[in-house]
Short mmCIF file of all heavy atoms in Angstrom, two decimals:
data_model
loop_
_atom_site.label_atom_id
_atom_site.label_comp_id
_atom_site.label_asym_id
_atom_site.label_seq_id
_atom_site.Cartn_x
_atom_site.Cartn_y
_atom_site.Cartn_z
N MET R 2 23.01 14.98 0.18
CA MET R 2 21.97 14.09 -0.29
C MET R 2 22.48 13.35 -1.52
O MET R 2 22.94 13.97 -2.48
CB MET R 2 20.72 14.91 -0.60
CG MET R 2 19.49 14.09 -0.86
SD MET R 2 18.02 15.11 -1.15
CE MET R 2 17.26 15.03 0.44
N THR R 3 22.37 12.04 -1.50
CA THR R 3 22.87 11.25 -2.62
C THR R 3 21.90 11.34 -3.80
O THR R 3 20.71 11.64 -3.62
CB THR R 3 23.03 9.77 -2.21
OG1 THR R 3 21.75 9.24 -1.92
CG2 THR R 3 23.96 9.63 -1.01
N PRO R 4 22.41 11.07 -4.99
CA PRO R 4 21.52 11.11 -6.17
C PRO R 4 20.35 10.13 -6.07
O PRO R 4 19.26 10.42 -6.55
CB PRO R 4 22.44 10.73 -7.33
CG PRO R 4 23.81 11.06 -6.86
CD PRO R 4 23.81 10.86 -5.38
N VAL R 5 20.56 8.99 -5.43
CA VAL R 5 19.49 8.01 -5.31
C VAL R 5 18.38 8.55 -4.41
O VAL R 5 17.19 8.47 -4.73
CB VAL R 5 20.03 6.66 -4.76
CG1 VAL R 5 18.89 5.71 -4.46
CG2 VAL R 5 21.00 6.04 -5.75
N SER R 6 18.75 9.13 -3.27
CA SER R 6 17.72 9.65 -2.38
C SER R 6 17.03 10.88 -2.98
O SER R 6 15.86 11.11 -2.74
CB SER R 6 18.30 9.97 -1.00
OG SER R 6 19.28 10.97 -1.10
N LEU R 7 17.76 11.66 -3.76
CA LEU R 7 17.15 12.80 -4.44
C LEU R 7 16.13 12.32 -5.47
O LEU R 7 15.02 12.86 -5.57
CB LEU R 7 18.23 13.66 -5.11
CG LEU R 7 17.75 14.92 -5.80
CD1 LEU R 7 17.07 15.85 -4.80
CD2 LEU R 7 18.90 15.63 -6.49
N PHE R 8 16.49 11.29 -6.23
CA PHE R 8 15.56 10.72 -7.20
C PHE R 8 14.34 10.13 -6.49
O PHE R 8 13.20 10.31 -6.94
CB PHE R 8 16.26 9.65 -8.04
CG PHE R 8 15.33 8.96 -8.99
CD1 PHE R 8 14.93 9.58 -10.16
CD2 PHE R 8 14.83 7.70 -8.71
CE1 PHE R 8 14.06 8.97 -11.04
CE2 PHE R 8 13.95 7.07 -9.57
CZ PHE R 8 13.57 7.71 -10.75
N THR R 9 14.56 9.44 -5.38
CA THR R 9 13.46 8.85 -4.62
C THR R 9 12.52 9.93 -4.11
O THR R 9 11.29 9.80 -4.21
CB THR R 9 14.00 8.03 -3.43
OG1 THR R 9 14.86 7.01 -3.94
CG2 THR R 9 12.88 7.39 -2.63
N PHE R 10 13.08 11.01 -3.59
CA PHE R 10 12.26 12.11 -3.11
C PHE R 10 11.45 12.73 -4.25
O PHE R 10 10.26 12.98 -4.11
CB PHE R 10 13.14 13.19 -2.46
CG PHE R 10 12.38 14.41 -2.08
CD1 PHE R 10 11.56 14.42 -0.96
CD2 PHE R 10 12.46 15.57 -2.84
CE1 PHE R 10 10.84 15.55 -0.60
CE2 PHE R 10 11.73 16.70 -2.50
CZ PHE R 10 10.93 16.69 -1.38
N ALA R 11 12.09 12.96 -5.40
CA ALA R 11 11.40 13.55 -6.55
C ALA R 11 10.28 12.63 -7.03
O ALA R 11 9.17 13.09 -7.34
CB ALA R 11 12.38 13.83 -7.67
N PHE R 12 10.55 11.33 -7.07
CA PHE R 12 9.54 10.37 -7.51
C PHE R 12 8.35 10.35 -6.55
O PHE R 12 7.20 10.38 -6.98
CB PHE R 12 10.16 8.97 -7.62
CG PHE R 12 9.15 7.91 -7.92
CD1 PHE R 12 8.65 7.75 -9.20
CD2 PHE R 12 8.68 7.07 -6.92
CE1 PHE R 12 7.71 6.78 -9.49
CE2 PHE R 12 7.74 6.09 -7.19
CZ PHE R 12 7.25 5.95 -8.48
N LEU R 13 8.63 10.27 -5.25
CA LEU R 13 7.55 10.23 -4.27
C LEU R 13 6.75 11.53 -4.26
O LEU R 13 5.53 11.51 -4.09
CB LEU R 13 8.11 9.94 -2.88
CG LEU R 13 8.63 8.52 -2.68
CD1 LEU R 13 9.26 8.37 -1.30
CD2 LEU R 13 7.54 7.50 -2.90
N PHE R 14 7.41 12.66 -4.46
CA PHE R 14 6.71 13.94 -4.55
C PHE R 14 5.78 13.96 -5.76
O PHE R 14 4.62 14.36 -5.66
CB PHE R 14 7.71 15.10 -4.62
CG PHE R 14 7.05 16.43 -4.75
CD1 PHE R 14 6.46 17.03 -3.66
CD2 PHE R 14 7.01 17.08 -5.98
CE1 PHE R 14 5.83 18.26 -3.77
CE2 PHE R 14 6.39 18.30 -6.11
CZ PHE R 14 5.81 18.90 -5.00
N ALA R 15 6.29 13.51 -6.91
CA ALA R 15 5.47 13.49 -8.13
C ALA R 15 4.30 12.52 -7.98
O ALA R 15 3.17 12.83 -8.39
CB ALA R 15 6.34 13.10 -9.33
N LEU R 16 4.53 11.37 -7.39
CA LEU R 16 3.48 10.38 -7.19
C LEU R 16 2.39 10.92 -6.25
O LEU R 16 1.20 10.82 -6.55
CB LEU R 16 4.06 9.09 -6.63
CG LEU R 16 3.08 7.95 -6.37
CD1 LEU R 16 2.46 7.48 -7.68
CD2 LEU R 16 3.78 6.81 -5.66
N THR R 17 2.81 11.50 -5.14
CA THR R 17 1.86 12.06 -4.18
C THR R 17 1.05 13.20 -4.80
O THR R 17 -0.17 13.26 -4.65
CB THR R 17 2.59 12.56 -2.92
OG1 THR R 17 3.32 11.47 -2.36
CG2 THR R 17 1.63 13.12 -1.90
N THR R 18 1.72 14.07 -5.52
CA THR R 18 1.04 15.18 -6.17
C THR R 18 0.02 14.68 -7.19
O THR R 18 -1.11 15.18 -7.25
CB THR R 18 2.06 16.10 -6.87
OG1 THR R 18 3.00 16.57 -5.90
CG2 THR R 18 1.39 17.29 -7.53
N SER R 19 0.39 13.68 -7.94
CA SER R 19 -0.52 13.10 -8.94
C SER R 19 -1.75 12.49 -8.29
O SER R 19 -2.88 12.72 -8.73
CB SER R 19 0.23 12.05 -9.75
OG SER R 19 -0.64 11.37 -10.61
N VAL R 20 -1.54 11.72 -7.22
CA VAL R 20 -2.67 11.06 -6.55
C VAL R 20 -3.60 12.10 -5.93
O VAL R 20 -4.83 12.01 -6.06
CB VAL R 20 -2.16 10.06 -5.48
CG1 VAL R 20 -3.28 9.59 -4.58
CG2 VAL R 20 -1.48 8.88 -6.16
N VAL R 21 -3.04 13.09 -5.27
CA VAL R 21 -3.86 14.13 -4.63
C VAL R 21 -4.64 14.91 -5.69
O VAL R 21 -5.84 15.19 -5.52
CB VAL R 21 -2.99 15.06 -3.76
CG1 VAL R 21 -3.75 16.30 -3.33
CG2 VAL R 21 -2.47 14.31 -2.56
N LEU R 22 -4.00 15.27 -6.78
CA LEU R 22 -4.67 16.03 -7.84
C LEU R 22 -5.79 15.21 -8.48
O LEU R 22 -6.89 15.72 -8.69
CB LEU R 22 -3.66 16.47 -8.90
CG LEU R 22 -4.19 17.34 -10.02
CD1 LEU R 22 -4.74 18.65 -9.46
CD2 LEU R 22 -3.10 17.61 -11.04
N ARG R 23 -5.53 13.95 -8.76
CA ARG R 23 -6.57 13.09 -9.35
C ARG R 23 -7.76 12.94 -8.41
O ARG R 23 -8.91 12.98 -8.84
CB ARG R 23 -6.00 11.72 -9.70
CG ARG R 23 -5.11 11.71 -10.90
CD ARG R 23 -4.49 10.33 -11.08
NE ARG R 23 -3.48 10.33 -12.11
CZ ARG R 23 -3.65 9.77 -13.31
NH1 ARG R 23 -4.78 9.16 -13.59
NH2 ARG R 23 -2.70 9.83 -14.20
N ALA R 24 -7.47 12.75 -7.13
CA ALA R 24 -8.55 12.59 -6.15
C ALA R 24 -9.36 13.87 -6.04
O ALA R 24 -10.60 13.84 -6.00
CB ALA R 24 -7.97 12.20 -4.80
N TRP R 25 -8.69 15.01 -5.99
CA TRP R 25 -9.39 16.30 -5.88
C TRP R 25 -10.29 16.53 -7.10
O TRP R 25 -11.45 16.93 -6.95
CB TRP R 25 -8.38 17.43 -5.74
CG TRP R 25 -9.01 18.78 -5.74
CD1 TRP R 25 -9.80 19.32 -4.77
CD2 TRP R 25 -8.93 19.76 -6.78
NE1 TRP R 25 -10.21 20.59 -5.16
CE2 TRP R 25 -9.68 20.87 -6.38
CE3 TRP R 25 -8.27 19.79 -8.01
CZ2 TRP R 25 -9.81 22.01 -7.16
CZ3 TRP R 25 -8.39 20.93 -8.78
CH2 TRP R 25 -9.16 22.02 -8.36
N LEU R 26 -9.78 16.27 -8.29
CA LEU R 26 -10.58 16.47 -9.49
C LEU R 26 -11.76 15.50 -9.54
O LEU R 26 -12.87 15.88 -9.95
CB LEU R 26 -9.71 16.30 -10.74
CG LEU R 26 -8.72 17.44 -11.01
CD1 LEU R 26 -7.79 17.06 -12.16
CD2 LEU R 26 -9.45 18.73 -11.32
N ALA R 27 -11.55 14.26 -9.11
CA ALA R 27 -12.64 13.28 -9.11
C ALA R 27 -13.73 13.69 -8.13
O ALA R 27 -14.93 13.62 -8.45
CB ALA R 27 -12.09 11.90 -8.77
N VAL R 28 -13.35 14.12 -6.94
CA VAL R 28 -14.35 14.55 -5.95
C VAL R 28 -15.09 15.78 -6.44
O VAL R 28 -16.31 15.90 -6.28
CB VAL R 28 -13.67 14.81 -4.58
CG1 VAL R 28 -14.62 15.50 -3.61
CG2 VAL R 28 -13.17 13.50 -4.00
N ARG R 29 -14.37 16.68 -7.09
CA ARG R 29 -14.99 17.89 -7.64
C ARG R 29 -16.04 17.51 -8.69
O ARG R 29 -17.15 18.04 -8.70
CB ARG R 29 -13.89 18.75 -8.25
CG ARG R 29 -14.30 20.11 -8.65
CD ARG R 29 -13.05 20.93 -8.99
NE ARG R 29 -13.45 22.22 -9.46
CZ ARG R 29 -13.25 22.67 -10.69
NH1 ARG R 29 -12.61 21.93 -11.56
NH2 ARG R 29 -13.68 23.84 -11.06
N GLN R 30 -15.69 16.59 -9.59
CA GLN R 30 -16.64 16.15 -10.61
C GLN R 30 -17.81 15.41 -9.98
O GLN R 30 -18.96 15.59 -10.39
CB GLN R 30 -15.95 15.26 -11.63
CG GLN R 30 -16.90 14.83 -12.74
CD GLN R 30 -16.26 13.91 -13.75
OE1 GLN R 30 -15.18 13.39 -13.53
NE2 GLN R 30 -16.96 13.70 -14.85
N LEU R 31 -17.53 14.59 -8.97
CA LEU R 31 -18.58 13.85 -8.29
C LEU R 31 -19.62 14.79 -7.70
O LEU R 31 -20.83 14.59 -7.88
CB LEU R 31 -17.95 13.00 -7.18
CG LEU R 31 -18.89 12.17 -6.33
CD1 LEU R 31 -19.36 10.95 -7.11
CD2 LEU R 31 -18.19 11.74 -5.06
N HIS R 32 -19.18 15.84 -7.04
CA HIS R 32 -20.11 16.80 -6.45
C HIS R 32 -20.91 17.54 -7.52
O HIS R 32 -22.11 17.77 -7.36
CB HIS R 32 -19.37 17.80 -5.57
CG HIS R 32 -18.87 17.21 -4.30
ND1 HIS R 32 -19.63 17.15 -3.15
CD2 HIS R 32 -17.70 16.62 -3.99
CE1 HIS R 32 -18.94 16.57 -2.19
NE2 HIS R 32 -17.75 16.23 -2.69
N HIS R 33 -20.25 17.89 -8.61
CA HIS R 33 -20.94 18.61 -9.69
C HIS R 33 -22.02 17.74 -10.33
O HIS R 33 -23.16 18.20 -10.54
CB HIS R 33 -19.94 19.07 -10.75
CG HIS R 33 -20.58 19.80 -11.88
ND1 HIS R 33 -20.94 21.12 -11.81
CD2 HIS R 33 -20.97 19.37 -13.11
CE1 HIS R 33 -21.51 21.48 -12.94
NE2 HIS R 33 -21.54 20.45 -13.75
N VAL R 34 -21.68 16.50 -10.63
CA VAL R 34 -22.65 15.60 -11.26
C VAL R 34 -23.83 15.34 -10.33
O VAL R 34 -24.98 15.37 -10.75
CB VAL R 34 -21.97 14.27 -11.68
CG1 VAL R 34 -23.00 13.24 -12.11
CG2 VAL R 34 -20.97 14.53 -12.81
N ALA R 35 -23.54 15.11 -9.05
CA ALA R 35 -24.61 14.85 -8.09
C ALA R 35 -25.51 16.07 -7.91
O ALA R 35 -26.73 15.94 -7.78
CB ALA R 35 -24.02 14.43 -6.75
N ALA R 36 -24.92 17.26 -7.95
CA ALA R 36 -25.70 18.49 -7.77
C ALA R 36 -26.60 18.78 -8.97
O ALA R 36 -27.64 19.43 -8.82
CB ALA R 36 -24.77 19.66 -7.53
N HIS R 37 -26.22 18.30 -10.15
CA HIS R 37 -26.99 18.60 -11.37
C HIS R 37 -27.71 17.36 -11.91
O HIS R 37 -28.07 17.32 -13.09
CB HIS R 37 -26.06 19.19 -12.43
CG HIS R 37 -25.51 20.51 -12.02
ND1 HIS R 37 -24.32 20.64 -11.34
CD2 HIS R 37 -25.99 21.76 -12.18
CE1 HIS R 37 -24.09 21.91 -11.09
NE2 HIS R 37 -25.09 22.61 -11.58
N ARG R 38 -27.94 16.39 -11.07
CA ARG R 38 -28.59 15.14 -11.47
C ARG R 38 -30.03 15.36 -11.91
O ARG R 38 -30.54 14.67 -12.79
CB ARG R 38 -28.56 14.16 -10.30
CG ARG R 38 -29.20 12.84 -10.58
CD ARG R 38 -29.16 11.95 -9.33
NE ARG R 38 -29.73 10.65 -9.59
CZ ARG R 38 -31.02 10.36 -9.44
NH1 ARG R 38 -31.87 11.27 -9.03
NH2 ARG R 38 -31.46 9.15 -9.72
N GLU R 39 -30.71 16.31 -11.34
CA GLU R 39 -32.14 16.50 -11.56
C GLU R 39 -32.48 17.45 -12.71
O GLU R 39 -33.65 17.74 -12.93
CB GLU R 39 -32.80 17.01 -10.28
CG GLU R 39 -32.72 16.05 -9.12
CD GLU R 39 -33.42 14.72 -9.40
OE1 GLU R 39 -34.48 14.72 -10.04
OE2 GLU R 39 -32.87 13.68 -8.99
N LEU R 40 -31.48 17.94 -13.43
CA LEU R 40 -31.76 18.90 -14.49
C LEU R 40 -30.95 18.56 -15.74
O LEU R 40 -29.72 18.56 -15.71
CB LEU R 40 -31.40 20.32 -14.02
CG LEU R 40 -31.68 21.44 -15.01
CD1 LEU R 40 -33.18 21.56 -15.28
CD2 LEU R 40 -31.17 22.75 -14.45
N VAL R 41 -31.64 18.26 -16.80
CA VAL R 41 -30.99 18.00 -18.08
C VAL R 41 -30.47 19.33 -18.63
O VAL R 41 -31.19 20.32 -18.61
CB VAL R 41 -31.98 17.36 -19.09
CG1 VAL R 41 -31.30 17.11 -20.43
CG2 VAL R 41 -32.57 16.08 -18.54
N PRO R 42 -29.22 19.37 -19.10
CA PRO R 42 -28.71 20.62 -19.66
C PRO R 42 -29.60 21.12 -20.80
O PRO R 42 -30.16 20.33 -21.57
CB PRO R 42 -27.32 20.23 -20.19
CG PRO R 42 -26.93 19.06 -19.36
CD PRO R 42 -28.20 18.33 -19.06
N PHE R 43 -29.72 22.42 -20.91
CA PHE R 43 -30.63 23.05 -21.86
C PHE R 43 -30.41 22.54 -23.28
O PHE R 43 -31.38 22.28 -24.01
CB PHE R 43 -30.45 24.57 -21.81
CG PHE R 43 -31.32 25.29 -22.79
CD1 PHE R 43 -32.67 25.44 -22.55
CD2 PHE R 43 -30.78 25.82 -23.96
CE1 PHE R 43 -33.49 26.10 -23.47
CE2 PHE R 43 -31.58 26.48 -24.88
CZ PHE R 43 -32.94 26.63 -24.62
N ASP R 44 -29.16 22.40 -23.69
CA ASP R 44 -28.85 21.98 -25.07
C ASP R 44 -29.35 20.57 -25.39
O ASP R 44 -29.55 20.23 -26.55
CB ASP R 44 -27.35 22.05 -25.33
CG ASP R 44 -26.83 23.48 -25.30
OD1 ASP R 44 -27.64 24.41 -25.44
OD2 ASP R 44 -25.61 23.66 -25.12
N PHE R 45 -29.55 19.74 -24.36
CA PHE R 45 -29.97 18.36 -24.58
C PHE R 45 -31.38 18.07 -24.10
O PHE R 45 -31.87 16.94 -24.22
CB PHE R 45 -29.00 17.41 -23.86
CG PHE R 45 -27.58 17.57 -24.31
CD1 PHE R 45 -26.66 18.24 -23.53
CD2 PHE R 45 -27.17 17.04 -25.52
CE1 PHE R 45 -25.35 18.39 -23.94
CE2 PHE R 45 -25.86 17.19 -25.95
CZ PHE R 45 -24.94 17.87 -25.16
N ALA R 46 -32.06 19.06 -23.57
CA ALA R 46 -33.37 18.85 -22.97
C ALA R 46 -34.39 18.29 -23.96
O ALA R 46 -35.27 17.51 -23.57
CB ALA R 46 -33.88 20.15 -22.37
N ALA R 47 -34.28 18.65 -25.21
CA ALA R 47 -35.26 18.19 -26.20
C ALA R 47 -35.03 16.74 -26.60
O ALA R 47 -35.97 16.06 -27.03
CB ALA R 47 -35.19 19.07 -27.44
N SER R 48 -33.81 16.23 -26.46
CA SER R 48 -33.53 14.88 -26.95
C SER R 48 -33.21 13.86 -25.86
O SER R 48 -33.19 12.66 -26.14
CB SER R 48 -32.36 14.94 -27.94
OG SER R 48 -31.22 15.46 -27.31
N VAL R 49 -32.96 14.30 -24.63
CA VAL R 49 -32.61 13.37 -23.55
C VAL R 49 -33.66 13.47 -22.44
O VAL R 49 -33.82 14.52 -21.82
CB VAL R 49 -31.21 13.70 -22.97
CG1 VAL R 49 -30.89 12.79 -21.81
CG2 VAL R 49 -30.15 13.61 -24.05
N PRO R 50 -34.38 12.39 -22.20
CA PRO R 50 -35.38 12.42 -21.11
C PRO R 50 -34.69 12.48 -19.75
O PRO R 50 -33.55 12.05 -19.58
CB PRO R 50 -36.13 11.10 -21.26
CG PRO R 50 -35.61 10.41 -22.46
CD PRO R 50 -34.41 11.15 -22.95
N LEU R 51 -35.40 13.02 -18.78
CA LEU R 51 -34.85 13.18 -17.43
C LEU R 51 -34.43 11.83 -16.84
O LEU R 51 -33.39 11.73 -16.18
CB LEU R 51 -35.86 13.87 -16.52
CG LEU R 51 -35.40 14.13 -15.08
CD1 LEU R 51 -34.13 14.97 -15.06
CD2 LEU R 51 -36.50 14.79 -14.28
N ALA R 52 -35.19 10.79 -17.09
CA ALA R 52 -34.85 9.47 -16.55
C ALA R 52 -33.50 8.98 -17.08
O ALA R 52 -32.69 8.42 -16.32
CB ALA R 52 -35.94 8.46 -16.90
N ASP R 53 -33.24 9.20 -18.35
CA ASP R 53 -31.96 8.81 -18.93
C ASP R 53 -30.81 9.66 -18.37
O ASP R 53 -29.71 9.16 -18.15
CB ASP R 53 -31.99 8.92 -20.45
CG ASP R 53 -32.86 7.86 -21.10
OD1 ASP R 53 -33.20 6.87 -20.40
OD2 ASP R 53 -33.20 8.01 -22.28
N HIS R 54 -31.08 10.94 -18.17
CA HIS R 54 -30.07 11.82 -17.59
C HIS R 54 -29.72 11.38 -16.17
O HIS R 54 -28.54 11.34 -15.79
CB HIS R 54 -30.58 13.27 -17.60
CG HIS R 54 -29.64 14.24 -16.98
ND1 HIS R 54 -28.45 14.60 -17.56
CD2 HIS R 54 -29.70 14.91 -15.80
CE1 HIS R 54 -27.82 15.45 -16.78
NE2 HIS R 54 -28.56 15.66 -15.70
N ARG R 55 -30.73 11.04 -15.39
CA ARG R 55 -30.49 10.55 -14.02
C ARG R 55 -29.69 9.25 -14.05
O ARG R 55 -28.78 9.06 -13.23
CB ARG R 55 -31.81 10.31 -13.31
CG ARG R 55 -32.51 11.55 -12.89
CD ARG R 55 -33.82 11.20 -12.20
NE ARG R 55 -34.55 12.39 -11.83
CZ ARG R 55 -35.86 12.44 -11.73
NH1 ARG R 55 -36.59 11.36 -11.96
NH2 ARG R 55 -36.46 13.56 -11.38
N LYS R 56 -30.03 8.36 -14.97
CA LYS R 56 -29.32 7.10 -15.08
C LYS R 56 -27.85 7.34 -15.42
O LYS R 56 -26.96 6.71 -14.83
CB LYS R 56 -29.98 6.23 -16.15
CG LYS R 56 -29.41 4.86 -16.29
CD LYS R 56 -30.20 4.05 -17.32
CE LYS R 56 -29.63 2.68 -17.51
NZ LYS R 56 -30.38 1.91 -18.51
N ALA R 57 -27.59 8.25 -16.33
CA ALA R 57 -26.21 8.58 -16.70
C ALA R 57 -25.46 9.22 -15.53
O ALA R 57 -24.29 8.92 -15.28
CB ALA R 57 -26.19 9.52 -17.90
N ALA R 58 -26.14 10.08 -14.78
CA ALA R 58 -25.52 10.72 -13.62
C ALA R 58 -25.20 9.67 -12.55
O ALA R 58 -24.12 9.69 -11.96
CB ALA R 58 -26.43 11.80 -13.05
N ASP R 59 -26.12 8.75 -12.32
CA ASP R 59 -25.89 7.69 -11.33
C ASP R 59 -24.71 6.81 -11.75
O ASP R 59 -23.88 6.43 -10.92
CB ASP R 59 -27.14 6.83 -11.15
CG ASP R 59 -28.27 7.59 -10.48
OD1 ASP R 59 -28.01 8.64 -9.85
OD2 ASP R 59 -29.42 7.14 -10.59
N TYR R 60 -24.64 6.50 -13.03
CA TYR R 60 -23.53 5.70 -13.55
C TYR R 60 -22.21 6.44 -13.34
O TYR R 60 -21.21 5.86 -12.91
CB TYR R 60 -23.75 5.38 -15.03
CG TYR R 60 -22.55 4.75 -15.68
CD1 TYR R 60 -22.30 3.39 -15.53
CD2 TYR R 60 -21.66 5.50 -16.44
CE1 TYR R 60 -21.19 2.80 -16.11
CE2 TYR R 60 -20.55 4.93 -17.02
CZ TYR R 60 -20.32 3.58 -16.86
OH TYR R 60 -19.21 3.01 -17.43
N THR R 61 -22.20 7.72 -13.64
CA THR R 61 -20.99 8.52 -13.49
C THR R 61 -20.54 8.59 -12.04
O THR R 61 -19.36 8.45 -11.74
CB THR R 61 -21.21 9.94 -14.06
OG1 THR R 61 -21.57 9.83 -15.44
CG2 THR R 61 -19.98 10.80 -13.93
N VAL R 62 -21.48 8.79 -11.14
CA VAL R 62 -21.15 8.84 -9.70
C VAL R 62 -20.55 7.51 -9.26
O VAL R 62 -19.53 7.47 -8.55
CB VAL R 62 -22.39 9.22 -8.87
CG1 VAL R 62 -22.16 8.96 -7.40
CG2 VAL R 62 -22.76 10.67 -9.11
N THR R 63 -21.15 6.41 -9.68
CA THR R 63 -20.65 5.08 -9.32
C THR R 63 -19.25 4.86 -9.90
O THR R 63 -18.36 4.34 -9.22
CB THR R 63 -21.61 3.99 -9.81
OG1 THR R 63 -22.89 4.22 -9.24
CG2 THR R 63 -21.12 2.60 -9.45
N LYS R 64 -19.06 5.26 -11.13
CA LYS R 64 -17.76 5.11 -11.79
C LYS R 64 -16.68 5.92 -11.07
O LYS R 64 -15.56 5.44 -10.87
CB LYS R 64 -17.89 5.54 -13.25
CG LYS R 64 -16.65 5.35 -14.06
CD LYS R 64 -16.90 5.77 -15.51
CE LYS R 64 -15.62 5.76 -16.30
NZ LYS R 64 -15.80 6.31 -17.64
N ILE R 65 -17.00 7.15 -10.68
CA ILE R 65 -16.04 7.99 -9.97
C ILE R 65 -15.71 7.41 -8.61
O ILE R 65 -14.54 7.37 -8.20
CB ILE R 65 -16.56 9.43 -9.85
CG1 ILE R 65 -16.65 10.09 -11.22
CG2 ILE R 65 -15.67 10.26 -8.92
CD1 ILE R 65 -17.37 11.42 -11.21
N ARG R 66 -16.72 6.93 -7.89
CA ARG R 66 -16.47 6.32 -6.58
C ARG R 66 -15.57 5.10 -6.71
O ARG R 66 -14.68 4.87 -5.90
CB ARG R 66 -17.78 5.96 -5.90
CG ARG R 66 -18.50 7.15 -5.36
CD ARG R 66 -19.74 6.77 -4.61
NE ARG R 66 -20.40 7.97 -4.10
CZ ARG R 66 -21.69 8.07 -3.89
NH1 ARG R 66 -22.49 7.05 -4.15
NH2 ARG R 66 -22.20 9.19 -3.43
N HIS R 67 -15.81 4.31 -7.73
CA HIS R 67 -14.97 3.14 -7.97
C HIS R 67 -13.53 3.57 -8.29
O HIS R 67 -12.58 2.99 -7.77
CB HIS R 67 -15.53 2.29 -9.10
CG HIS R 67 -14.66 1.14 -9.48
ND1 HIS R 67 -14.42 0.09 -8.62
CD2 HIS R 67 -13.95 0.88 -10.60
CE1 HIS R 67 -13.61 -0.76 -9.21
NE2 HIS R 67 -13.31 -0.30 -10.41
N SER R 68 -13.37 4.58 -9.12
CA SER R 68 -12.03 5.04 -9.47
C SER R 68 -11.30 5.62 -8.26
O SER R 68 -10.09 5.45 -8.12
CB SER R 68 -12.07 6.06 -10.61
OG SER R 68 -12.61 7.28 -10.17
N LEU R 69 -12.03 6.25 -7.34
CA LEU R 69 -11.41 6.75 -6.11
C LEU R 69 -10.96 5.59 -5.23
O LEU R 69 -9.90 5.66 -4.60
CB LEU R 69 -12.38 7.66 -5.35
CG LEU R 69 -12.56 9.06 -5.92
CD1 LEU R 69 -13.71 9.78 -5.22
CD2 LEU R 69 -11.27 9.85 -5.78
N THR R 70 -11.74 4.53 -5.19
CA THR R 70 -11.36 3.34 -4.42
C THR R 70 -10.10 2.72 -5.00
O THR R 70 -9.16 2.37 -4.28
CB THR R 70 -12.51 2.31 -4.40
OG1 THR R 70 -13.67 2.93 -3.88
CG2 THR R 70 -12.14 1.09 -3.59
N VAL R 71 -10.07 2.58 -6.31
CA VAL R 71 -8.89 2.03 -6.98
C VAL R 71 -7.67 2.92 -6.75
O VAL R 71 -6.57 2.44 -6.48
CB VAL R 71 -9.15 1.83 -8.49
CG1 VAL R 71 -7.88 1.50 -9.25
CG2 VAL R 71 -10.20 0.75 -8.70
N LEU R 72 -7.86 4.21 -6.81
CA LEU R 72 -6.77 5.15 -6.57
C LEU R 72 -6.23 5.03 -5.16
O LEU R 72 -5.02 5.08 -4.93
CB LEU R 72 -7.25 6.58 -6.85
CG LEU R 72 -6.21 7.69 -6.79
CD1 LEU R 72 -5.15 7.49 -7.86
CD2 LEU R 72 -6.88 9.03 -6.97
N ALA R 73 -7.12 4.83 -4.20
CA ALA R 73 -6.70 4.71 -2.81
C ALA R 73 -5.91 3.41 -2.57
O ALA R 73 -4.97 3.39 -1.78
CB ALA R 73 -7.91 4.76 -1.89
N VAL R 74 -6.32 2.37 -3.27
CA VAL R 74 -5.64 1.07 -3.10
C VAL R 74 -4.29 1.15 -3.79
O VAL R 74 -3.27 0.77 -3.28
CB VAL R 74 -6.47 -0.08 -3.68
CG1 VAL R 74 -5.68 -1.36 -3.74
CG2 VAL R 74 -7.72 -0.27 -2.85
#
């Protein structure tokens, strides 16, 4: 195996690993945020209304979906 093909293989492996890891973490966060959309965390319940929490969760879900689209492209 030539040094160029070895470097190419290492680069493609690192790139693929990075993309897969980023996608997995984004999907994991997406599911967590969507699952907890209806409940304000206890520490913030006194200062953050449920409507604002839902709005923030919706924004986060949209942002993650957009980042997954950009990652795929």
Side-chain angles (χ1 to χ4, degrees):
M2 190 177 260
T3 65
V5 172
S6 62
L7 183 61
F8 176 77
T9 302
F10 174 76
F12 174 77
L13 290 176
F14 179 76
L16 180 64
T17 302
T18 302
S19 173
V20 168
V21 168
L22 184 62
R23 286 174 188 253
W25 175 69
L26 287 172
V28 169
R29 190 170 176 245
Q30 182 182 13
L31 179 76
H32 288 272
H33 180 80
V34 170
H37 295 91
R38 180 182 182 271
E39 297 299 322
L40 182 64
V41 179
F43 178 75
D44 293 340
F45 301 104
S48 59
V49 177
L51 181 58
D53 289 345
H54 178 71
R55 286 179 182 152
K56 185 176 179 181
D59 292 342
Y60 171 81
T61 301
V62 167
T63 302
K64 184 178 172 187
I65 293 170
R66 285 184 180 152
H67 175 66
S68 71
L69 283 171
T70 304
V71 170
L72 186 63
V74 170

